[in-house]
Structures are given as structure tokens and as C-alpha cells.
Amino acid sequence: MKGCKILLASPSGFRGKNIIQNLLTLINNYDVAVMTAVPTVYAAMVEQITSQKISVPPLKMKFAICGAAPLSSDLQALFTKLTNTPLVEGYGSTEGSSVSTLMPVNPINKEASVGLPIPGITLKIADINEQGTLVKICDTLDVGEIIITGNNVFPGYVEDAHNQGAWVVDENGQQYFRTGDLGKIDESGYVSLCGRQKELIIRGGHNIDPKMIEDAATSHPDVTLAAAVPRPDSYAGEVPVLYVTLSPNSTLKLDALTAYVSANIPERAAIPKAIYIIDEIPLTAVGKIYKPELVCLEIKQTITEALSEQLINKAVQINVFADKKLGIKATILVNEDELNALQQQIKTLLTPYSFNYEVLALKTTEAA
């Protein structure tokens, strides 16, 4: 429509040989005006610049777009600073032809956002009950599930079984697709993400169904329960990890289980980075596996490891909790008299990660 050319990096995309190593040069050599990529690509570009592995002039791009996986606000700011190129975030899904919202280059939003709905799509925030019925459309700033309809939203899955629970209908008979993501819309129409109800693990933009991992694990006769959850990763965004419980008197060793699970998972990207054998997997009151508790454990461990070397002699308290409306959030508590000094240091260490966190003062009574 604009008369522009599209440059494809290679048949393998950004995974092509030497593409990432030469990406900054390629962008300038081909006068690329706009690019779109996943967070790991932008993280790699920042790493190249900060490590001084290459030297290139400032990018001539008008802006860059990030999608497919959550983008760290710190990485976003650092990329923009180092390249002099605005990095804007978008949001969408395959069912909505990839893009539902996009951030303007000069936004007026007051908090972190993935932008405004694109033309042709209607996006709303809905209160949906456990039976899958739309109770109401949420008010401004209220958190609920993101639902979409429009001419770029697909008509349904090929196998009808997958359509069960995937759609809701409003009072006017309009059908909406349930994205499974939690969000809210501000008074200016900007959409903010607040968490994810869907259990997909997004590794470098690659969607991994945890059920594939869990089925491989539970096919072993000694495994009674299995729960695959995402672990934050500084490069891939998320990587899968697996928690399992074993049958009583089982003598199954971790090495043997790891080999078995790896051999029975058809996708290489879905092979867990770690497997934990635990006594009990957290369950809900009705006996369903409660994964948010395990996700909180992974985020807490990630923060602990990221801060441990630099803040080894500092009093740091890490709390991670799951909220039905706000999603998963971490609080990092430090001594009140060190708050100003440590805030920027912690922010730098956690730049590669996209989970929500805030650094607060640890009161004297709390420290005691």
C-alpha cells in the first residue's frame, strides 16, 4: 500500500547464518525504515553494541516493532538510547492475524502499554465467569480478559473441539474470540497487558504447549503428576521447566527421567531446561494443578540468581505473588537507606526480563 519493499533476512529469518552478527550493518546497508522482531533479537543487538563487538553508525530506521513475546521496558529504553531508534511494542495472536494493537511512536499513555487497537479490529476487556459466559464488558482501567472481533479475526479452528470455550457472545449477539490474556484499557484507549490466562510458554517467539511436555512426562509409569511452566530467560524470554511427582516407592532417578522426557518430546524447543522432582504439586480446592505458584517460584529464583553476585552483602527480600486481576508481580525490598543507591543497579541487572517488579524500602521492623 505504501510502495515499500520488504526485506527478508534469510529463508530461516533471524536464525539464518551470521544474520544476528551482521544485523546492524544490514539495516543500514539496505536503508531499512522499519523492522519487526522478537525481544531476543533486540537483546542480541544491544549486547553487540554494549560489548563493543562491532562498531556501526546510529541506525537510520524510523522505528522498530517488537512482538510475539513480552518486552522488558528496560530493554526497550536501552535499545532506543543506543540506536537512536524508537522501539514500540505490539500485541496480537495467530487467531487475530498476528496484530491486534500497536504502539504509536509518540504515545500519550500514562503507563506501560502495547498500544491502540489497529483499524478493523474491535478489542474489549471482558469479565468472563468460570462457565465461559461473558458477564459484562469491563469499565475503563478494570482488569479482565482481552476479547477481539473484526475482519482480521479468524472464523474458528479446523477441529471443532478446539472451539469449545474459545468464544463468547455479547448482549447484541456479536461473537468475540477469547485471547486468554488479561488486560485493561485506559481513558485514552491504550491497552495494557496484566498477565496471561493461557498456559502457553513463549520461547523466543515460539509458542510451546505445556501439555506436550506434561504428556511426555506422565507417559512414564512412575510419574503421577506433571506441570510445565515458564522460567524467565535473559535471551529467550521464557524457557520451559518441569515439575513432577513420582509414585510411592519409586526409585526413578532425575537423569533417567530427564532422558526419558527429552526422548518423548517431538519439539526440541519444548525440552525442559530443568526438571524438578517434588513431593507435592500445588493444587486448587477442586484438585486442579495450580501453576501460578510454580511460576512464582521460578521468577523468585531468577531474581535471586540475577542479584546474588552484585548484591551479595546487601539485605534483599524478594516476594513474588499471583493476583487474579493483576497477574504475577514481584517486590524487591532493600534497606530504606540504600533504596536510592540500589534501585538503578537492580533495574540494570533485571533489564533482560519482562516480569513485573518494583523495588521498595524494607522497613527496619521488617528487616528485624
Side-chain angles (χ1 to χ4, degrees):
M1 290 172 66
K2 300 288 284 186
C4 299
K5 296 179 180 178
I6 296 176
L7 175 68
L8 301 181
S10 73
S12 300
F14 291 111
R15 293 187 179 93
K17 184 178 180 180
N18 298 325
I19 293 296
I20 291 295
Q21 296 93 314
N22 296 291
L23 188 54
L24 291 162
T25 302
L26 288 168
I27 288 169
N28 278 343
N29 286 351
Y30 283 92
D31 292 324
V32 173
V34 178
M35 70 174 286
T36 179
V38 299
T40 53
V41 171
Y42 295 113
M45 293 168 74
V46 165
E47 168 62 22
Q48 285 187 327
I49 296 171
T50 54
S51 64
Q52 298 181 339
K53 292 179 180 178
I54 55 173
S55 178
V56 295
L59 298 180
K60 294 178 283 187
M61 288 195 299
K62 295 179 179 178
F63 64 96
I65 301 171
C66 185
L71 173 68
S72 159
S73 59
D74 295 335
L75 174 60
Q76 183 179 22
L78 187 57
F79 176 88
T80 298
K81 178 182 177 181
L82 293 174
T83 63
N84 197 34
T85 302
L87 175 57
V88 300
E89 193 170 8
Y91 163 75
S93 60
T94 303
E95 294 88 350
S97 300
S98 300
V99 184
S100 295
T101 70
L102 189 62
M103 199 72 173
V105 173
N106 298 304
I108 59 170
N109 60 302
K110 296 178 181 178
E111 59 179 282
S113 170
V114 289
L116 302 167
I118 64 171
I121 195 168
T122 299
L123 182 149
K124 295 185 177 181
I125 308 298
D127 181 3
I128 300 173
N129 63 23
E130 293 183 358
Q131 288 71 44
T133 302
L134 194 158
V135 177
K136 66 173 183 176
I137 299 298
C138 296
D139 295 329
T140 300
L141 295 179
D142 283 351
V143 176
E145 184 174 345
I146 298 173
I147 57 175
I148 55 175
T149 188
N151 53 23
N152 63 326
V153 177
F154 82 143
Y157 296 106
V158 174
E159 295 184 23
D160 192 55
H162 296 156
N163 290 307
Q164 305 307 311
W167 307 87
V168 290
V169 179
D170 67 11
E171 58 185 7
N172 298 316
Q174 177 63 56
Q175 182 173 262
Y176 290 82
F177 173 69
R178 298 181 60 182
T179 66
D181 296 310
L182 299 176
K184 60 183 177 181
I185 300 177
D186 70 9
E187 58 277 0
S188 300
Y190 285 81
V191 180
S192 296
L193 300 181
C194 301
R196 193 163 71 231
Q197 286 186 335
K198 282 185 176 179
E199 294 183 348
L200 289 178
I201 299 167
I202 305 177
R203 180 175 186 170
H206 180 84
N207 289 352
I208 299 170
D209 184 353
K211 190 174 184 298
M212 178 196 311
I213 304 170
E214 293 157 0
D215 286 348
T218 54
S219 67
H220 192 288
D222 283 13
V223 175
T224 54
L225 278 179
V229 297
R231 169 191 288 176
D233 184 78
S234 59
Y235 176 73
E238 294 177 342
V239 293
V241 296
L242 179 67
Y243 288 81
V244 301
T245 57
L246 303 181
S247 56
N249 304 320
S250 171
T251 58
L252 181 64
K253 300 298 182 183
L254 180 59
D255 289 349
L257 176 61
T258 300
Y260 179 87
V261 171
S262 299
N264 284 276
I265 293 177
E267 292 184 20
R268 182 179 177 184
I271 295 174
K273 293 291 287 186
I275 297 178
Y276 303 101
I277 298 174
I278 58 178
D279 294 333
E280 291 183 2
I281 285 181
L283 304 174
T284 66
V286 295
K288 292 183 178 180
I289 293 176
Y290 185 65
K291 289 188 177 181
E293 185 173 322
L294 300 176
V295 175
C296 288
L297 286 176
E298 290 299 322
I299 292 176
K300 184 174 182 177
Q301 180 64 23
T302 299
I303 296 174
T304 300
E305 292 176 358
L307 304 185
S308 59
E309 289 188 12
Q310 299 293 325
L311 306 181
I312 190 169
N313 296 318
K314 305 295 183 181
V316 178
Q317 182 176 311
I318 302 166
N319 300 313
V320 185
F321 59 92
D323 183 276
K324 185 177 181 181
K325 290 292 186 181
L326 302 177
I328 293 177
K329 185 174 182 179
T331 57
I332 303 169
L333 304 175
V334 299
N335 284 338
E336 195 167 10
D337 58 349
E338 296 182 302
L339 179 61
N340 293 334
L342 292 179
Q343 272 185 323
Q344 184 56 48
Q345 188 176 0
I346 292 173
K347 183 177 181 180
T348 300
L349 293 169
L350 297 183
T351 290
Y353 305 103
S354 61
F355 47 73
N356 293 321
Y357 72 92
E358 58 180 341
V359 182
L360 301 173
L362 179 65
K363 305 296 183 183
T364 305
T365 53
E366 291 178 306

